[in-house]
Amino acid sequence: MGFSTEQRKAETTSSTRIAAGLILGMACFAAVLTGGIFVGQTISEALSTLQTITPVEVDPLR
């Protein structure tokens, strides 16, 4: 049973779309993971900074 040219093109296009979707999905996942790590570190640093300063330093009019 032979495949026609149109069937081969459809299979190739489908495979290409699946591969492109997987690559795009992995890139988005990596970006979200990297952003989450960055935000997590930034929040951690901000919280440690807030713990080390006194309320007078934050609002001297208090």
Side-chain angles (χ1 to χ4, degrees):
M1 178 192 256
F3 287 104
S4 70
T5 305
E6 289 181 16
Q7 287 176 329
R8 288 184 189 153
K9 284 182 182 178
E11 287 180 4
T12 303
T13 302
S14 179
S15 297
T16 304
R17 287 182 179 175
I18 291 171
L22 287 173
I23 291 169
L24 183 62
M26 289 174 59
C28 289
F29 178 73
V32 168
L33 191 63
T34 303
I37 291 170
F38 176 74
V39 169
Q41 289 176 349
T42 304
I43 290 173
S44 176
E45 289 173 8
L47 288 175
S48 67
T49 302
L50 284 175
Q51 290 174 354
T52 58
I53 59 176
T54 63
V56 174
E57 292 177 13
V58 175
D59 187 8
L61 299 176
R62 208 171 197 196

